[in-house]
Each structure stands twice: as structure tokens, then as C-alpha cells.
Amino acid sequence: MSKVLTSRKENYAQWYNDLVIKADLAENSSVRGCMVIKPHGYAIWEKMQAELDKMFKATGHSNAYFPLFIPKSFFSREASHVEEFAKECAVVTHYRLKKDPEGKGIIVDPDAKLEEELIIRPTSETIIWNTYKNWIQSYRDLPLLINQWANVVRWEMRTRLFLRTTEFLWQEGHTAHATKNEAIEETLKIIHIYADFAENFMAMPVIKGTKTEIERFAGAIETYAIEALMQDGKALQSGTSHFLGQNFAKAFDVTFTDKTGKLDWVWATSWGVSTRLMGALVMAHSDDNGLIIPPKLAPVQVVIIPIYKNNQELTRITEIANQLKSNLESTGISVKYDDRDTQTPGWKFAEYELKGVPVRLAIGPRDLENHTVEVVRRDKLSKEIIQQDKVIEQVKALLVDIQQNIFQTALKRKKDNTYYVDDYDEFKQIVEGDGGFIYAHWDGTSETELKIKEETKATIRCIPVNNKPEKGKCIYTGKPSTQRVIFAKAY
RNA sequence: CGGGGUGUAGCGCAGCCCGGUAGCGCGCGUCGUUCGGGACGACGAGGUCGUGGGUUCAAAUCCCGUCACCCCGACCA
């Protein structure tokens, strides 16, 4: 088989980049830091969107859409929010271009300067809370459970396809509640949805936990996150859910009258996952031959490839293939029959492997003789010859098995790369070596967290939600600690 | 913003040091033979050498400016 990808061992970052491009998921655009998401990549994102959207709606949320632009003054309302995002905002200052009077081309019309500059949203809390102010007066207006699918812009220094791009797609939920407890429950409900989606659809095991003060979202009281371990031993934050307390309600003066007639600020949450999940999906499962997409998110679950020497053969194969296709489709499986005569079978095999189609069926002259089909599963690349009348049930079972198998493989990898460490030298060795999740004691101070980050580049990914209390000594300072937290190098 | 690098055909690159009017691989087109793991042959199309200026009889090549992008760091979902 010809090699089109850099191997993971050789250069993991290069492998990732090659794969995203060769599998036709996305490419760099001519706009700095911005990618073009290509049809195959976008189809996977659409599957993700569809599943998540279903989950949000099943838990009472509705979709809405707020403006891309945010007046600059909105940003100054919430102090920590400004501090966090100010340094990576794109700003619109003018509303018109004109012909360059000096020469060729066009220039920004200096007479068309905006009274107040507009920020291109890096996240929508401010515009949304400014709007919610008008929507909420009474406890009868609560809870307000809204999600939006949108694009946002964060002017990052360095970008990588899907993992960090200047513009990215995401969903952001913004909810308002009458009580603190209800808002906290909402925050947790969402982080559970994210974890459920990651594990059951993306087949990617995650750890749910809270963030330390340093890693917390700007303006949040508590940030919950799901953290996943990639094949290179680095952690990827894959979704966050924030309990915002009354911070934004106070900043935007959103009050309501409760049942007893008392006026109070509302309690808020916000939460999001982005196209970064695409990067997570790629890195969680794929191998040196290409993508491995879990069947539940694969735009095409089964591809059928004919092998023939002449038109007569093709006609007979097509008849069988179409029959299989419609039978499979009637059970809800998505199938593509690729009978293009412009590519050879070998070329197609390699191509669909690269693109991660979970199951491949090949039908050739031998199969016409024997009433068989060759079945290949992408995750293990194993081949099997089966009878044509067994295809439907076998493929159905196979898709379930692949989904489970890649989850189990990822789970095992996570387990094999999880360490409990009490010695700082050992800690450093692991971080500098193959990486992984390291459970270690920490004295709870930001100072220690920063020192460790400085010395090792590892950060506290989260404090797991189901953490067992355990007495110990901080790995860095030796001060007493009551539980272990998870360290890792992060994307 | 600090350090390093690159702009030559759709993509990946060579040519530059030593100036003489542009080449390779892949891809693309036509035809034929192929087709059970990225087929082969023949013919063919395709380039203001990032951009502006300078030196020269002559510039992809030398000099000055400029723009863009990539990699490493600080920042980050």
C-alpha cells in the first residue's frame, strides 16, 4: 500500500495535519488562520450537530440566533470577561470602502468610521445578556433555555486545523434560572450530555471535572469540562459548561421578581462545544492508514465496490449491489455504491480507508460464482468472505461491534496512559516522556499550579467530579492535600 | 512580539552559490491496454518565477525595499 500519511510515530503533529487534508476534511484557506471545511468534514460535523441538537431539545432547550457583532461597550461590563477576551478580538471600525483616489484598488473610506466599533463575537454572553434583560421580568419567564449554533472569532497567535482556528463553528447555550441550585443542576446536566455524546457517539472516553481558578472561564464561578486523552498523550479539552452565578445578570442588570415579590438577579449558565470536536475525533481513533470514524457519526457507513473486467460482469454486480444497498438502507444504514469506472478498485480501497468509511463490501467475479461478498472492517482492517444472504444481519452487527471496539480501544489507551504519581521527578519523567493523565496531589494554590506549568508545561486539566477524597502531600510543595487532581500537557 | 524558514505549473519540489530566457514528480486531458490493495504505455495542455524598484547587453538567479505564508516560543476551545 502506498503511503500518503506521515506515520504517528514519525511525527504526530504532521500525521494529524496530513490526515485532515488527505482525508478531505478541511484545508487552510487563503485567509490567515481560517480553514475551509470540505464536504466530507462538514458531513461529519453535521452528524455531530444533529445528535447534539436532539439531546439539547430533549432536555428542553430551544435554538435562537443572536448577532455576529457586539458593540464594544458591552465588553467592558463584565471585568474578567474583558480581560480574557480583549486581546484576541477582531474589531470592525468602518462600514464602507471606496476607490483609492491615489491609484488602483480600493481603500477603507476614512469618512465611514463607526461611532462605536463592533467586536466580532468571540463568545456571545454579552450580547445575549443584554438581550435577556428585556425578556426577563418575573419568575414566570424562567427558566430561559436557549442554544445557538454559530461561528465565533478568536484572534489566536497560532492555529491548527480544527483544533484552533481563528474562526470556528460551535454551539453556545445560555440559560437563565430563578435559583442558584437550578443553574448548577443545568450546568451539570449539560456536562453529562457532552460526556454522553463523546463516549456514545464519538466513542471517545472522557473525564468530567471542574477547572481550577486559573483554567476557569472568564466570568464563571465554576467551569466543568470534559477532557479526553489523545494518542500522543496530550489532553484535549472537548467541551465546557459554566456556572456563571449572578455575574452576568449583575453586569447587564437582569433582575426578576420571585414568587414572594422579592427582586433578585437571575442565575446563569453557558456551555459549548466546537468544531474542535472534529480534531478530537480524528486524533482519538485514526491510524497510519487514515481516518477511523465511529459508525454512529460516519456520513457513509458502508461502501460497496464492484470489481469487474467487462460490462456484463458490471451489470450483474450492480444488480446485486443495488439490492444490498436498498436492503441495508431500509434498516437505516447509509450506503454508497461506488461504480465509477474512472478509478481502479485498489484506488478506491485506499481512498475509503483514508476517509474512514467503517465497512467496505467488495463484489467481484469470484463472488458472482459463489454468491459471496468480501467484507472489510476499517477499525481492524480484517477481511471476511460472507454469503450474500447474510450481509444485512452481519453488517448491522458489525457496525455495532466497530462502534464498541473503537471505544474499548480508546478506553484501554486511556487506562494504559493514566498514572498515579507521588514523586515530582517521576511526574516530570512521565510528562516529558509519553505523556498521559497524571493523578497527583496538589496543595490547591494557583501559585503551585503555575510553577508546575512553568517547569513541566503540564497543567491541571480538571478535578474529577467523582473524585474520592484522599489524604496526601502536594507533589510540588509537600503541603497537605485532600484529593488528587489530573495533570497533563494540553492542546 | 522574539527566533528560524519559504514564496518557481493545480499540488510537492529542483534550478539561485557561479546571470544566458525554466525543469522534475504527482495531478490534469485524449487514445489504447488494464481492473481481487493507490495500474501501464503513447501523445498532449499548463508557468507575468510573490511583488515594486535597481545593477546588467541579458535577472528565477546579484542588490535594495515590500507583502504573504509556514515552523518554534508566549496566548488559547
Side-chain angles (χ1 to χ4, degrees):
Chain A
M1 187 181 313
S2 79
K3 253 189 63 181
V4 293
L5 299 174
T6 305
S7 73
R8 286 165 293 181
K9 216 173 151 188
E10 204 178 317
N11 184 340
Y12 189 84
Q14 188 65 46
W15 165 80
Y16 172 81
N17 217 23
D18 281 3
L19 181 47
V20 168
I21 289 167
K22 297 274 169 53
D24 240 2
L25 299 179
E27 64 186 27
N28 283 307
S29 71
S30 37
V31 185
R32 195 208 89 113
C34 297
M35 63 180 165
V36 174
I37 305 176
K38 298 187 74 177
H40 186 229
Y42 202 78
I44 299 170
W45 175 241
E46 283 180 315
K47 296 279 281 191
M48 290 186 173
Q49 280 186 304
E51 294 303 337
L52 284 164
D53 204 64
K54 229 186 277 174
M55 291 167 129
F56 298 150
K57 283 172 180 160
T59 45
H61 302 84
S62 306
N63 286 335
Y65 189 79
F66 295 86
L68 168 71
F69 303 118
I70 300 174
K72 191 178 74 179
S73 58
F74 284 25
F75 258 83
S76 53
R77 304 269 195 91
E78 216 289 330
S80 55
H81 204 69
V82 200
E83 206 181 313
E84 180 74 25
F85 290 108
K87 53 188 182 287
E88 52 185 42
C89 283
V91 185
V92 179
T93 56
H94 292 74
Y95 59 86
R96 193 166 61 208
L97 301 169
K98 66 173 191 180
K99 272 191 190 153
D100 185 357
E102 305 279 302
K104 52 202 177 221
I106 48 172
I107 59 164
V108 174
D109 186 343
D111 295 332
K113 198 161 162 18
L114 289 170
E115 290 274 312
E116 180 178 2
E117 292 93 340
L118 296 171
I119 313 298
I120 301 192
R121 63 181 167 215
T123 179
S124 302
E125 273 79 5
T126 56
I127 182 73
I128 286 180
W129 281 93
N130 179 268
T131 309
Y132 280 3
K133 178 180 162 58
N134 303 322
W135 293 1
I136 298 167
Q137 274 88 38
S138 152
Y139 72 93
R140 295 178 212 275
D141 299 323
L142 298 171
L144 186 56
L145 305 173
I146 289 181
N147 175 61
Q148 94 166 338
W149 289 96
N151 57 342
V152 288
V153 167
R154 295 182 189 175
W155 214 265
E156 304 287 357
M157 297 295 184
R158 290 181 54 222
T159 59
R160 292 189 64 194
L161 293 167
F162 288 118
L163 297 174
R164 183 174 304 108
T165 47
T166 301
E167 179 190 11
F168 57 95
L169 306 183
W170 76 346
Q171 58 71 215
E172 48 181 327
H174 297 273
T175 69
H177 305 266
T179 67
K180 179 180 178 182
N181 276 344
E182 197 186 301
I184 293 175
E185 269 172 37
E186 167 78 7
T187 313
L188 286 165
K189 184 188 287 173
I190 296 298
I191 204 67
H192 290 138
I193 287 178
Y194 287 162
D196 178 24
F197 175 76
E199 302 200 329
N200 292 319
F201 287 88
M202 295 176 68
M204 179 176 79
V206 292
I207 294 176
K208 288 173 282 198
T210 55
K211 288 288 180 182
T212 61
E213 196 184 335
I214 287 175
E215 300 275 332
R216 197 175 292 151
F217 177 73
I221 305 289
E222 187 82 274
T223 288
Y224 288 84
I226 52 170
E227 292 282 334
L229 191 64
M230 302 295 105
Q231 292 184 50
D232 62 346
K234 283 165 89 177
L236 185 72
Q237 179 174 308
S238 305
T240 47
S241 179
H242 315 290
F243 169 58
L244 302 174
Q246 294 175 310
N247 289 348
F248 283 90
K250 284 177 181 170
F252 288 89
D253 195 28
V254 185
T255 56
F256 74 105
T257 312
D258 71 13
K259 281 181 188 170
T260 65
K262 206 178 87 222
L263 203 62
D264 195 5
W265 285 289
V266 301
W267 298 85
T269 80
S270 71
W271 28 275
V273 294
S274 71
T275 35
R276 173 178 260 199
L277 288 181
M278 291 289 296
L281 188 72
V282 171
M283 288 198 291
H285 308 302
S286 302
D287 62 22
D288 292 347
N289 297 312
L291 277 185
I292 294 178
I293 308 175
K296 286 188 188 176
L297 293 177
V300 172
Q301 294 170 308
V302 177
V303 64
I304 306 174
I305 297 170
I307 299 157
Y308 56 93
K309 289 196 167 50
N310 54 54
N311 270 331
Q312 262 176 341
E313 273 175 8
L314 177 61
T315 308
R316 288 176 62 201
I317 291 166
T318 298
E319 203 177 306
I320 295 164
N322 282 334
Q323 189 61 52
L324 289 175
K325 182 171 190 279
S326 71
N327 287 347
L328 284 166
E329 281 172 343
S330 69
T331 71
I333 295 170
S334 58
V335 184
K336 176 174 174 176
Y337 175 45
D338 188 351
D339 62 349
R340 286 178 296 172
D341 60 358
T342 50
Q343 317 289 353
T344 61
W347 190 92
K348 291 176 189 173
F349 293 165
E351 181 69 6
Y352 290 110
E353 242 152 55
L354 190 55
K355 290 194 169 175
V357 175
V359 174
R360 182 180 79 226
L361 306 180
I363 308 171
R366 288 207 295 268
D367 301 300
L368 290 177
E369 290 295 315
N370 307 325
H371 304 284
T372 54
V373 173
E374 181 190 84
V375 184
V376 179
R377 55 187 291 173
R378 174 62 185 88
D379 57 340
K380 295 181 175 172
L381 289 177
S382 54
K383 275 182 200 176
E384 209 183 337
I385 307 292
I386 64 173
Q387 290 298 309
Q388 282 167 19
D389 56 9
K390 296 262 169 60
V391 167
I392 308 302
E393 56 175 297
Q394 297 244 6
V395 166
K396 260 172 87 174
L398 193 51
L399 288 171
V400 172
D401 193 61
I402 293 171
Q403 182 82 28
Q404 279 170 358
N405 178 54
I406 61 179
F407 178 70
Q408 289 303 327
T409 304
L411 195 61
K412 180 169 187 304
R413 189 181 298 119
K414 188 188 105 181
K415 210 176 147 197
D416 292 346
N417 291 287
T418 296
Y419 307 91
Y420 288 77
V421 176
D422 294 313
D423 175 73
Y424 191 52
D425 284 330
E426 190 189 343
F427 179 98
K428 284 194 280 194
Q429 247 174 35
I430 293 170
V431 172
E432 281 160 29
D434 291 339
F437 283 146
I438 304 176
Y439 284 76
H441 282 285
W442 165 60
D443 65 15
T445 67
S446 295
E447 200 189 343
T448 301
E449 187 180 356
L450 286 172
K451 279 269 166 55
I452 294 174
K453 182 180 179 182
E454 222 171 274
E455 292 178 15
T456 68
K457 290 186 183 152
T459 51
I460 299 178
R461 299 323 305 151
C462 70
I463 305 160
V465 287
N466 52 1
N467 228 6
K468 297 188 293 274
E470 177 192 309
K471 283 195 177 146
K473 286 182 184 164
C474 174
I475 197 158
Y476 191 78
T477 61
K479 289 182 187 160
S481 146
T482 56
Q483 62 178 345
R484 287 177 187 269
V485 299
I486 302 178
F487 286 88
K489 270 198 213 172
Y491 271 92

